[in-house]
Amino acid sequence: MLFAKFFHLLGLTLWVGGMFFAHMALRPALGVLHPEQRLTLMAAVLANFFIWVWVAIALVLGSGLHMMAVMGAGAAKLPPYVHAMTGIGVVMMLIFAHIFFAPFRRLRLAAAQQDWDRASRALRQVRMLVGINLCLGLLTITIGALGPLSA
């Protein structure tokens, strides 16, 4: 169980910490660049970061399922905070999959074609969805940290 918790926390740290950095530090700092430079850089940064998000999802999902299996034989035996974390986590994974396969794909394509208006619209959608996922991730961490205290 110790290794599962470690991998779970590692995945959460990579994913949520990366979103926080990109959304709250990197994005505002890029305001000094010309739009073409900013869009090209964000497309490259997100391409690298999203590889790590896939790794983080595998770590979180695999370790979470393992810990749930160890905790009890059926879903009815799991504490409510585990159900909450699981539900929010699945929503986060679905939002990320949408980001990756829709607006991020459009961002990369538009940036490669130097269609800056289309790239800007796609990046705005990525930013909005990452912001939602960041809030959900912080909520999930809070539930995970405080949930056992109420159980």
Side-chain angles (χ1 to χ4, degrees):
M1 189 76 140
L2 183 63
F3 286 114
K5 284 183 182 180
F6 168 77
F7 287 121
H8 204 72
L9 291 172
L10 177 62
L12 289 169
T13 302
L14 293 173
W15 190 3
V16 178
M19 288 190 296
F20 187 88
F21 169 77
H23 200 68
M24 304 303 285
L26 177 62
R27 184 185 59 83
L30 295 179
V32 299
L33 298 177
H34 292 286
E36 298 84 10
Q37 295 170 314
R38 183 173 56 248
L39 292 164
T40 301
L41 181 60
M42 281 304 293
V45 166
L46 291 174
N48 290 327
F49 174 58
F50 286 167
I51 292 168
W52 287 103
V53 174
W54 286 115
V55 171
I57 287 173
L59 289 171
V60 170
L61 189 58
S63 61
L65 290 172
H66 174 76
M67 287 187 291
M68 287 192 304
V70 170
M71 288 176 81
K77 294 182 179 182
L78 296 174
Y81 76 91
V82 174
H83 288 283
M85 287 189 306
T86 303
I88 296 169
V90 168
V91 169
M92 288 178 66
M93 290 174 203
L94 292 172
I95 290 171
F96 172 71
H98 173 71
I99 291 168
F100 186 81
F101 291 111
F104 174 63
R105 183 175 178 269
R106 289 192 297 270
L107 169 62
R108 288 180 70 180
L109 187 61
Q113 296 171 345
Q114 298 183 352
D115 184 344
W116 306 120
D117 288 334
R118 201 169 47 135
S120 181
R121 286 192 306 274
L123 183 58
R124 274 195 302 275
Q125 188 176 17
V126 169
R127 183 175 57 236
M128 179 195 64
L129 293 169
V130 167
I132 291 168
N133 251 6
L134 175 58
C135 291
L136 291 173
L138 293 171
L139 175 63
T140 305
I141 290 170
T142 301
I143 292 170
L146 300 179
L149 300 176
S150 65

